Amino acid sequence: MEKRLFSELGLSPETLKAVDKMGFEEASPIQTAVIPVALTGRDVVGQSSTGSGKTAAFALPAIEKVEARQRVVQVLILCPTRELAVQVAEETGKLALFKPLVREVPIYGGQSYERQFRALAAGTQIVIGTPGRVMDHMERGTLKLNALKMVILDETDRMLDMGFRDDIEHILKSVPAERQCLFFSATMPNAIQDLIKRCIHVAAAAARGTLTIG
Ligand code: AMP
């Protein structure tokens, strides 16, 4: 797969500065393929494993899509484990360093609700969470997804292996139909293809065109 410079992918000066500060020299193949397409608003299905640079491939378009002055949740990133949620939140925070109004928070089981309530009440725009805790917050009314623009599923195969399928389907049914969907998975078994087919809004996907990268 092709690699390009980050400056050729349509990113803003603020995120380019952050990428530079992180010491990334050129975009990895998954970043080269996903970033320009995700920036146009199309849905993306990416086959990628850990170490491919997939986190920045979805976090950079997510940061660019956030309307920083609107203090509501606009991007939801679902991850299988607390460790991954924390890691994705850290990388997202670094990539958003020069967009000071953009905030992110990891929400996961095992951490006190209080800290998560405060971050959500403060108007964080990017939420990175495990499906179970995301559902908890939705049920308590502390996580409102009515203004969501983008939903990202990271390591979808692992989430299904861990039994999160029903939670994921419930979450996806509860978010606006016109949201953009980015799916990432190391493998693409039938169960994932079914989930993708059902969860990418068919009319929207047809209109926008879904890009499959693998
Ligand atoms: P990931 O596959 O997202 O878990 O990323 C693996 C590691 O590669 C992380 O430490 C990233 O910060 C780093 N990374 C991501 N993109 C690049 C890049 N374009 N150049 C160098 N390192 C990168």
Side-chain angles (χ1 to χ4, degrees):
M1 276 202 282
E2 190 200 358
K3 287 191 201 175
R4 275 158 67 189
L5 296 174
F6 280 100
S7 57
E8 297 174 303
L9 304 181
L11 295 166
S12 66
E14 292 86 353
T15 50
L16 285 175
K17 205 166 146 192
V19 161
D20 190 51
K21 190 162 191 290
M22 286 180 80
F24 297 175
E25 285 176 3
E26 59 179 2
S28 69
I30 189 94
Q31 292 162 353
T32 299
V34 168
I35 293 170
V37 177
L39 287 175
T40 68
R42 286 169 71 188
D43 293 329
V44 172
V45 178
Q47 188 159 4
S48 62
S49 48
T50 303
S52 59
K54 66 182 166 63
T55 312
F58 59 72
L60 285 165
I63 293 164
E64 300 287 17
K65 290 282 175 188
V66 164
E67 182 50 66
R69 291 185 190 284
Q70 286 176 15
R71 310 216 60 86
V72 290
V73 178
Q74 298 170 48
V75 177
L76 175 67
I77 305 176
L78 293 175
C79 295
T81 63
R82 119 193 219 161
E83 289 74 21
L84 189 62
V86 168
Q87 205 180 304
V88 168
E90 280 174 5
E91 182 136 340
T92 304
K94 289 183 194 162
L95 292 168
L97 185 66
F98 299 103
K99 289 206 175 210
L101 296 179
V102 175
R103 304 226 189 122
E104 72 296 323
V105 66
I107 59 170
Y108 48 82
Q111 191 194 37
S112 93
Y113 278 94
E114 272 311 308
R115 238 179 102 186
Q116 299 174 1
F117 288 152
R118 277 201 303 273
L120 293 169
T124 299
Q125 300 101 342
I126 304 179
V127 169
I128 302 114
T130 50
R133 187 57 72 105
V134 165
M135 289 264 294
D136 274 4
H137 278 284
M138 285 166 66
E139 278 160 18
R140 287 165 188 254
T142 46
L143 174 59
K144 295 190 179 66
L145 298 175
N146 52 309
L148 203 76
K149 294 181 184 170
M150 186 187 267
V151 59
I152 300 166
L153 275 75
D154 190 15
E155 303 201 357
T156 310
D157 47 359
R158 270 180 82 199
M159 288 200 280
L160 294 193
D161 288 347
M162 290 170 73
F164 286 132
R165 186 188 184 107
D166 290 349
D167 286 359
I168 292 172
E169 291 196 8
H170 179 85
I171 294 166
L172 291 175
K173 277 188 200 127
S174 314
V175 302
E178 287 308 312
R179 83 278 167 173
Q180 186 179 3
C181 249
L182 273 55
F183 279 83
F184 290 84
S185 193
T187 58
M188 288 289 168
N190 287 342
I192 296 198
Q193 308 215 11
D194 286 353
L195 183 74
I196 291 169
K197 270 189 223 136
R198 272 180 300 121
C199 296
I200 286 186
H201 186 252
V202 179
R208 283 198 293 259
T210 301
L211 178 78
T212 304
I213 293 159

